[in-house]
Amino acid sequence: MSAAMIRKIAHIGIAVKDLEEHLPFYRDVLGLKFEGYEDLPDRGLRVALFDVDGVRLELIQATSPDSTISTFIERRGEGLHHIAFGVDDAEKTLAHLTESGIRALDPVPRPGASGAKVAFLHPHDTGRVLLEICEKGRDVPQPE
Ligand code: ZN
């Protein structure tokens, strides 16, 4: 295997303090297709999902002071948090990256939003951008 099997940009995550504060801009002013919310209580996150022609935009808000988004916003403020690449097989891709000397924050893929399997790469190895590899789960979040 000579290269990671990146299919597309799956989603872009933006860290915000308050989803409701930013929702009107993305939904009403930009007119993006709002697909609803997803709660990830075990990670202390609430996410607002938009579809931009097959690329998902996620506004991510912390619901717990322990969450990674809380830490990120404390250190750097609101803003672009991560870019996720869509792959067919998260385990294989992660193994390839690890063999290539790229450090992963997740040694094995773990459950992400919408039933995906995800792993984050160390920003020091990616040009200081938090990159995620994402093996897609179901397309549409389950209604609550
Ligand atoms: Zn993500």
Side-chain angles (χ1 to χ4, degrees):
M1 188 165 43
S2 57
M5 299 151 290
I6 305 301
R7 293 284 182 204
K8 58 184 272 191
I9 290 179
H11 63 265
I12 296 170
I14 298 171
V16 298
K17 289 180 186 166
D18 180 356
L19 292 181
E20 301 309 321
E21 183 190 335
H22 297 284
L23 196 68
F25 168 67
Y26 287 93
R27 184 190 56 201
D28 305 328
V29 180
L30 290 180
L32 303 185
K33 188 176 158 205
F34 176 54
E35 296 197 310
Y37 295 100
E38 182 157 9
D39 286 300
L40 301 167
D42 50 325
R43 294 177 55 210
L45 301 177
R46 181 164 166 82
V47 184
L49 306 166
F50 300 87
D51 174 70
V52 188
D53 195 23
V55 178
R56 174 182 274 178
L57 192 75
E58 300 182 346
L59 298 184
I60 312 169
Q61 176 192 317
T63 56
S64 152
D66 306 327
S67 86
T68 53
I69 294 296
S70 302
T71 312
F72 178 87
I73 287 179
E74 269 168 35
R75 286 185 189 159
R76 302 173 62 170
E78 293 181 307
L80 181 62
H81 182 257
H82 70 277
I83 296 172
F85 288 123
V87 300
D88 290 333
D89 187 322
E91 272 93 3
K92 269 191 193 166
T93 304
L94 192 57
H96 167 69
L97 290 166
T98 304
E99 284 161 19
S100 305
I102 304 302
R103 289 168 288 175
L105 300 178
D106 301 290
V108 290
R110 57 183 172 76
S114 303
K117 271 199 256 179
V118 306
F120 285 93
L121 307 180
H122 200 299
H124 289 182
D125 293 341
T126 64
R128 301 273 175 178
V129 178
L130 183 58
L131 294 181
E132 173 189 338
I133 57 171
C134 177
E135 181 183 329
K136 200 174 175 185
R138 61 185 191 274
D139 269 328
V140 179
Q142 298 288 350
E144 289 172 76

